[in-house]
Amino acid sequence: MSWIPGGTFWMGSEDFYPEERPVHQVQVDGFWMDTHQVTVAEFRRFVKDTGHVTVAETAPDAADYPDADPALLVPGSLVFTPPPGPVSLDDFHQWWSWVPGADWRHPEGPGSNVGGRERHPVTHVALADAQAYASWAGKELATEAEWEFAARGGLDRKSYTWGDDFTPNGKHQANTWQGQFPWQNLAEDGFVGTSPIGSFRPNGYGLVDMAGNVWEWTTDFHTGDHSQSGKNVAPASSCCIPRNPRVDAAAERDGEPYPRRVIKGGSHLCAPNYCLRYRPAARQGESEETSTCHLGFRCVVRGHGPS
């Protein structure tokens, strides 16, 4: 784990998507954070020790999905499949499919496996799976504010975890999508799909893959903007900067059976023409029971810093 010293920073961005606004100052205390995303090998040890069965390995409750096709109410997960050519970006069904039998051991569905991907981030983990692993490891999930502060690596108000230039000296700094999403993947960064942890240089706090590779769960419930950040939180000082803010109550579910949590960091499927979210300020809401081939997590430990 890496020690994140804590401090005050500007959370959010005015330059990209509406949900990243308003920009506001936040203070977080120091904490420890996993240097990298939890890997397949690490998650395998957890499952072997506890017998944990993931959400993707459990059939959905029919009561939660009364309009669903009963044939789809079987264990499975969401898998990305690129279409053969350009499609409308208004319909994600063109590239996302519910695949029965897809889970962390079988990331592309039955017949696939994680052989040779032991150092890749584990995927197809829902929020409950990430929380169960964190509890087993004696850790927790980060709040959105903690995650964003750590991702910035000391570079306050910069667009990316490494600065404002997306490809300094022409070099890619994260595992993202190059080409026209969702059909043209040029793989200029060297990867199609997930990449081994640490394939790109760390940020200022020694953390790798805080941009791209896979999205990461946080503990905060999702809101449409940052306006709830800091509510009911004691100010850090007389100038009323919120300290250690978190959103710990679900907002409206918009008809969904589960509330949504904030995920951060973007993934290898994020592209400028569709999802430019491989940035510290970027945020997205994900239903708690969701598992996909581009969603993972890392953990934190709050408490004393290095002696």
Side-chain angles (χ1 to χ4, degrees):
M1 304 188 84
S2 296
W3 172 247
I4 312 302
T8 300
F9 76 107
W10 290 95
M11 187 173 181
S13 173
E14 299 284 352
D15 300 327
F16 295 92
Y17 298 112
E19 68 271 14
E20 300 168 23
R21 306 167 191 159
V23 176
H24 59 291
Q25 277 194 300
V26 166
Q27 179 175 322
V28 295
D29 295 335
F31 59 97
W32 294 92
M33 184 175 237
D34 286 345
T35 302
H36 56 77
Q37 296 155 342
V38 173
T39 65
V40 168
E42 291 169 331
F43 197 79
R44 180 186 289 140
R45 288 196 291 271
F46 155 66
V47 170
K48 183 177 181 180
D49 188 55
T50 64
H52 180 81
V53 178
T54 63
V55 170
E57 297 170 285
T58 307
D61 188 342
D64 288 338
Y65 303 94
D67 299 324
D69 180 349
L72 297 178
L73 295 177
V74 296
S77 191
L78 288 169
V79 175
F80 172 81
T81 303
V87 295
S88 171
L89 296 180
D90 295 332
D91 183 8
F92 64 86
H93 296 94
Q94 300 285 337
W95 55 88
W96 281 113
S97 300
W98 172 263
V99 177
D103 56 44
W104 72 271
R105 293 185 181 91
H106 310 96
E108 287 79 53
S112 66
N113 60 65
V114 289
R117 287 188 261 187
E118 289 78 9
R119 287 180 54 79
H120 287 232
V122 67
T123 57
H124 296 289
V125 285
L127 177 70
D129 305 317
Q131 290 173 325
Y133 176 96
S135 179
W136 170 78
K139 303 177 182 181
E140 301 176 82
L141 297 182
T143 65
E144 182 179 5
E146 288 172 335
W147 197 101
E148 185 169 332
F149 179 85
R152 292 185 178 280
L155 299 179
D156 201 16
R157 308 199 81 164
K158 297 295 184 180
S159 295
Y160 306 105
T161 66
W162 53 86
D164 285 325
D165 184 355
F166 178 58
T167 51
N169 299 316
K171 295 182 179 180
H172 287 281
Q173 305 297 306
N175 181 4
T176 63
W177 183 286
Q178 300 87 52
Q180 292 297 306
F181 183 87
W183 65 278
Q184 180 193 50
N185 190 345
L186 300 178
E188 294 171 349
D189 58 13
F191 299 101
V192 174
T194 60
S195 53
I197 56 168
S199 295
F200 300 87
R201 69 178 185 175
N203 74 357
Y205 292 144
L207 306 171
V208 298
D209 296 321
M210 294 299 282
N213 212 2
V214 297
W215 285 96
E216 300 183 21
W217 287 106
T218 74
T219 191
D220 278 22
F221 287 92
H222 183 262
T223 58
D225 58 36
H226 280 306
S227 62
Q228 292 195 32
S229 294
K231 284 187 177 180
N232 303 316
V233 176
S237 66
S238 59
C239 59
C240 301
I241 298 174
R243 181 175 180 177
N244 300 322
R246 64 174 67 210
V247 179
D248 55 9
E252 293 296 323
R253 298 186 184 182
D254 297 324
E256 296 180 359
Y258 296 91
R260 294 187 298 158
R261 303 284 182 130
V262 175
I263 57 175
K264 298 283 281 184
S267 79
H268 61 89
L269 297 179
C270 281
N273 73 309
Y274 181 69
C275 173
L276 207 163
R277 289 186 169 88
Y278 33 77
R279 299 172 291 102
R283 56 200 302 270
Q284 188 163 292
E286 194 66 82
S287 184
E288 291 180 353
E289 93 291 359
T290 296
S291 60
T292 74
C293 62
H294 72 334
L295 176 55
F297 69 103
R298 77 179 76 205
C299 305
V300 302
V301 171
R302 301 179 182 92
H304 299 293
S307 57

